[in-house]
């Protein structure tokens, strides 16, 4: 950068040596006060240069600093040179044979009374510089800090000039004084730049900083942490207790435990938790912190960062959901293959074999034999039909294509039809219906409700056995219509209630004595859930099981 010498710099009187030295000391004190106020490296360099040129009445001068990698010097300030003359010297390799680099490499000042003397020592300067003026006398002194040379200060004159001892002393003293201010400004600039980069990184990642004063129990939060907690306008809570109340109830104890452990051990506090926002929504946060002790070794503060990880947690939840869906789909595919290879084989074999026998020997068989074979074919065909219907539901669940209608279902007529069918299928079982005459309609899919009832009635008859009674009841309230299927079978254990509706689950108490594929109740739950209803199972006090299906009550399009 190029600057003009300030007009308010007084030109010292050219008096005796003692007068000049006194003036120089006074000027050094003035420069020291001015440099103490500046924290910008370029401003500090300009002040050093202005002081040197003013005291020594030099029309030209410059200040250079060593680059961070130590391989070059860069121009920090210049005065008295046109821009086209300064541009080639903005950055110069340290091995260039010129006075500025020589002084920095050796740490010793250079004084030349004439241009010829300087060019003789540095032939590279014999090449004319574009836009520059003839320079005669010159002085270059090193800038140093803690034993290392960090730059150089130079002044030059348009006339031959040999600096006196007092002038050299002033220039060297000014360089020493300015070096400290320049280094301080450089370190401050680096710190400010690092802080700016850190702040940008934290903001870009949604990370904020916090401090907890353990003695006063006060919190200091950055804007990012305030924003994450929905308190951008209100500021941080009054203390740790109030902050813990802002967390999800399930996360308060783990967070408190993690903080206590960090305070006890001195290790890092690292925990993820949910934040309850004022509008009722929830955000996920990841917080990391460490305890800081006072000079006496007591825990004084905790410093840390908090980052919004809501998007990550949502992505993980979606990933887990997709993985679970894939596992469920694979399980359903395996189930389908297992049923096709095993459960379908029995009815198909019976139907195939029975019809082949009838086709070959129909005329030779007595009526009773024919009826027995036909009865087996009908029963296995019915069993095959039900298995195929359940397998179709499994495939629709796997593909996510289980479409459910929202039509009114007249449960009275549907139950009469299903019960009549089951009576023919189970002639040795008694079926009883107890339904109110004004039972309202349910909302759902007629075909699916019928499939659910067939599975439940068939299970009740199968497990109850010959001579048992299956009872079907119904009732309703303002929101739901409920159907109950009661049997007199062996029932189930309390720990099997939830597992009854799992795919392929069969109670060990009855699996060996009663056949089945273990998919009927699973299908029932899938169909009922798709119709926004629920299905549950209960043990009957008098023995047997009760299955309760609750469906939404159908709402008329127009109020009655």
């Amino acid at each position: 950068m190029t600057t003009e010498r300030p007009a308010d710099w007084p030109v010292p009187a050219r008096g005796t040596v003692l007068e000049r030295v006194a003036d120089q000391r006074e000027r050094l004190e003035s420069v020291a006060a001015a440099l103490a106020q500046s924290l910008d490296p370029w401003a500090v360099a300009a002040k050093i240069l202005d002081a040197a040129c003013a005291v020594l009445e030099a029309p030209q001068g410059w200040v250079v600093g060593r680059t961070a990698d130590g391989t070059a010097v860069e121009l920090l300030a210049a005065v008295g040179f046109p821009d086209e003359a300064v541009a080639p010297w903005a950055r110069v390799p340290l091995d260039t044979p010129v006075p500025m680099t020589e002084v920095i490499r050796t740490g010793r000042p250079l004084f030349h009374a004439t241009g010829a003397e300087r060019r003789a020592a540095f032939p590279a300067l014999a090449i004319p510089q574009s836009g520059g003026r003839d320079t005669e006398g010159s002085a270059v002194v090193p800038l140093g800090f803690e034993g290392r040379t960090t730059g150089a200060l130079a002044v030059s004159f348009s006339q031959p000039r040999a600096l006196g001892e007092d002038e050299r002393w002033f220039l060297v003293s000014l360089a020493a004084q300015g070096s400290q201010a320049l280094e301080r400004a450089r370190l401050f600039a680096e710190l400010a730049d690092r802080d700016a980069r850190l702040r940008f990184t934290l903001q870009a990642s949604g990370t904020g900083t916090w401090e907890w004063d353990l003695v006063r129990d006060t919190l200091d939060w950055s804007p990012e942490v305030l924003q994450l907690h929905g308190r951008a306008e209100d500021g941080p809570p009054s203390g740790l207790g109030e902050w813990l109340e802002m967390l999800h109830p399930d996360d308060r104890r783990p967070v408190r435990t993690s903080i206590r452990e960090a305070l006890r051990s001195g290790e890092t506090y690292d925990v993820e938790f949910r934040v309850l926002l004022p509008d009722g929504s929830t955000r996920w946060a990841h917080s990391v912190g460490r305890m800081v002790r006072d000079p006496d070794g007591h825990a004084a503060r905790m410093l840390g960062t908090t980052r919004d990880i809501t998007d990550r947690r949502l992505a993980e939840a979606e990933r887990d959901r997709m993985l679970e869906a894939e596992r469920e789909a694979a399980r359903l595919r395996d189930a389908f293959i297992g049923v096709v290879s095993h459960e379908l084989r029995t009815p198909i074999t019976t139907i195939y074999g029975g019809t082949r026998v009838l086709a070959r020997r129909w005329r030779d068989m007595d009526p009773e034999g024919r009826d027995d074979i036909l009865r087996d074919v009908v029963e296995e065909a019915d069993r095959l039909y039900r298995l195929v219907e359940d397998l179709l539901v499994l495939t629709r669940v796997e593909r996510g294509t289980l479409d459910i209608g929202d039509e009114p279902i007249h449960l009275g007529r549907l139950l009469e039809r299903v019960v009549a069918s089951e009576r023919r299928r189970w002639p040795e079982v008694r079926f009883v219906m107890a339904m109110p005459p004004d039972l309202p309609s349910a909302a759902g899919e007629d075909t699916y409700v019928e499939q659910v009832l067939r599975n439940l009635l068939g299970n009740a008859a199968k497990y109850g056995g010959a001579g048992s009674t299956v009872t079907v009841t119904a009732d309703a309230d303002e929101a739901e219509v409920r159907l109950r299927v009661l049997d007199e079978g062996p029932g189930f254990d309390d720990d099997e209630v939830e597992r009854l509706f799992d795919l392929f689950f069969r109670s060990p108490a009855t699996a060996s004595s009663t056949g089945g594929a273990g998919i009927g109740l699973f299908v029932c739950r899938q169909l009922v859930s798709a119709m926004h209803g629920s299905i549950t199972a209960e043990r009957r006090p008098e023995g047997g099981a009760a299955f309760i299906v609750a469906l939404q009550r159908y709402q008329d399009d127009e109020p009655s």
Side-chain angles (χ1 to χ4, degrees):
M1 58 178 290
T2 60
T3 64
E4 295 295 332
R5 187 168 62 231
D8 60 349
W9 278 104
V11 177
R14 308 303 297 176
T16 65
V17 172
L18 292 177
E19 290 174 339
R20 293 200 304 272
V21 170
D23 179 75
Q24 291 167 0
R25 289 182 182 278
E26 183 180 347
R27 184 56 59 89
L28 286 174
E29 293 175 358
S30 176
V31 171
L35 292 178
Q37 305 299 319
S38 179
L39 291 174
D40 178 83
W42 294 272
V44 170
K47 290 183 185 297
I48 297 171
L49 182 58
D50 289 340
C53 290
V55 171
L56 301 176
E57 297 181 334
Q60 298 174 328
W62 44 257
V63 176
V64 295
R66 198 167 186 170
T67 58
D69 60 8
T71 61
V73 296
E74 56 185 0
L75 190 64
L76 300 178
V79 66
F81 297 97
D83 291 342
E84 58 270 21
V86 171
W89 300 97
R91 185 182 178 93
V92 178
L94 192 59
D95 57 1
T96 305
V98 293
M100 69 168 71
T101 57
E102 177 73 14
V103 167
I104 293 175
R105 288 197 303 269
T106 64
R108 296 192 297 270
L110 289 175
F111 301 99
H112 298 101
T114 65
E117 181 183 337
R118 184 175 58 258
R119 288 189 291 273
F122 297 95
L125 297 179
I127 302 174
Q129 302 297 319
S130 62
R133 67 176 71 172
D134 292 336
T135 298
E136 290 295 327
S138 64
V140 185
V141 295
L143 300 173
F145 183 77
E146 294 184 349
R148 57 188 178 88
T149 306
T150 58
L153 164 65
V155 293
S156 60
F157 307 90
S158 57
Q159 300 295 330
R161 174 84 175 270
L163 296 182
E165 289 299 323
D166 61 318
E167 292 175 320
R168 294 187 181 191
W169 170 85
F170 170 77
L171 197 60
V172 172
S173 299
L174 178 63
Q177 192 176 71
S179 296
Q180 296 184 20
L182 192 61
E183 183 66 14
R184 183 179 68 250
R186 185 187 66 80
L187 292 175
F188 182 83
E190 287 183 358
L191 181 60
D193 181 65
R194 184 163 60 246
D195 286 346
R197 292 198 303 269
L198 177 60
R199 173 61 57 188
F200 174 79
T201 302
L202 292 175
Q203 289 177 343
S205 64
T207 304
T209 59
W210 53 264
E211 177 179 345
W212 175 33
D213 187 322
L214 277 68
V215 178
R216 296 180 298 168
D217 189 25
T218 58
L219 297 171
D220 183 20
W221 287 356
S222 71
E224 293 79 14
V225 181
L226 291 171
Q227 183 70 30
L228 172 60
H229 288 76
R231 296 180 67 94
E233 304 296 331
D234 302 330
S238 60
L240 182 68
E242 184 179 347
W243 173 65
L244 289 172
E245 291 299 318
M246 299 169 59
L247 308 187
H248 192 282
D250 294 343
D251 298 337
R252 292 170 190 165
R253 182 183 294 274
V255 170
R256 186 183 293 109
T257 301
S258 182
I259 293 174
R260 288 175 178 171
E261 180 61 23
L263 293 176
R264 184 195 65 79
S265 65
E267 298 297 325
T268 300
Y269 154 76
D270 190 333
V271 68
E272 294 183 0
F273 51 85
R274 286 162 289 181
V275 177
L276 299 178
L277 299 184
D279 62 3
S281 61
T282 302
R283 304 290 293 177
W284 274 97
H286 177 211
S287 188
V288 179
R290 182 176 286 273
M291 178 185 61
V292 178
R293 300 184 183 275
D294 61 18
D296 296 328
H298 301 126
R301 297 178 298 157
M302 282 194 76
L303 304 176
T305 62
T306 296
R307 182 163 60 95
D308 188 336
I309 59 169
T310 304
D311 291 342
R312 192 202 82 192
R313 293 297 296 242
L314 291 176
E316 290 175 350
E318 178 63 16
R319 177 203 63 196
D320 293 342
R321 187 195 65 79
M322 294 179 66
L323 288 175
E324 181 59 30
E326 179 59 28
R327 284 193 290 267
E328 181 66 12
R331 196 161 64 102
L332 291 175
R333 285 193 296 270
D334 293 342
F336 183 84
I337 295 173
V339 170
V340 168
S341 63
H342 181 266
E343 293 298 330
L344 294 182
R345 180 172 299 172
T346 299
I348 290 176
T349 300
T350 301
I351 295 171
Y352 178 75
T355 53
R356 297 263 304 185
V357 169
L358 291 175
R360 291 196 310 267
R361 300 176 53 196
W362 177 269
R363 292 183 178 82
D364 299 332
M365 297 179 65
D366 58 83
E368 185 176 350
R370 288 198 302 266
D371 291 344
D372 289 341
I373 294 177
L374 285 173
R375 187 181 305 107
D376 290 341
V377 169
V378 170
E379 289 178 356
E380 294 303 321
D382 183 76
R383 177 183 175 187
L384 181 62
Y385 169 79
R386 293 169 188 266
L387 279 172
V388 170
E389 289 295 303
D390 287 345
L391 290 175
L392 288 176
V393 172
L394 288 180
T395 58
R396 294 188 186 112
V397 170
E398 176 190 357
R399 298 172 183 173
T401 59
L402 192 59
D403 297 325
I404 300 297
D406 187 19
E407 299 297 327
I409 303 172
H410 302 290
L411 294 173
R413 284 177 289 189
L414 186 149
L415 276 170
E416 290 177 356
R417 183 170 69 250
V418 174
V419 169
S421 173
E422 295 304 307
R423 281 176 177 150
R424 291 191 295 272
R425 184 184 175 203
W426 305 93
E428 298 180 351
V429 176
R430 180 169 173 260
F431 290 87
V432 177
M433 291 177 54
M435 303 185 60
D438 55 349
L439 186 67
S441 298
E445 184 77 33
D446 186 277
T447 303
Y448 290 152
V449 174
E450 181 173 347
Q451 186 172 349
V452 169
L453 288 173
R454 287 186 184 278
N455 276 336
L456 294 179
L457 292 173
N459 274 355
K462 177 173 63 175
Y463 288 103
S468 66
T469 299
V470 176
T471 304
V472 184
T473 67
D475 63 84
D477 57 23
E478 293 289 335
E480 293 181 334
V481 180
R482 288 174 294 274
L483 302 174
R484 289 179 173 82
V485 177
L486 316 175
D487 66 47
E488 297 177 349
F492 45 80
D493 295 335
D494 291 335
D495 59 353
E496 296 178 341
V497 173
E498 287 302 319
R499 299 180 61 197
L500 289 174
F501 300 95
D502 290 346
L503 186 61
F504 288 138
F505 176 77
R506 301 190 65 213
S507 174
T510 57
S512 60
S513 58
T514 308
I519 64 175
L521 291 179
F522 173 81
V523 167
C524 288
R525 171 163 283 184
Q526 297 297 319
L527 293 175
V528 172
S529 297
M531 290 185 286
H532 310 291
S534 64
I535 180 171
T536 56
E538 297 176 355
R539 293 182 61 187
R540 298 180 65 192
E542 62 273 25
F547 289 86
I548 302 96
V549 177
L551 299 173
Q552 291 185 355
R553 183 167 174 168
Y554 183 77
Q555 303 296 327
D556 294 332
D557 293 337
E558 296 182 1
S560 58

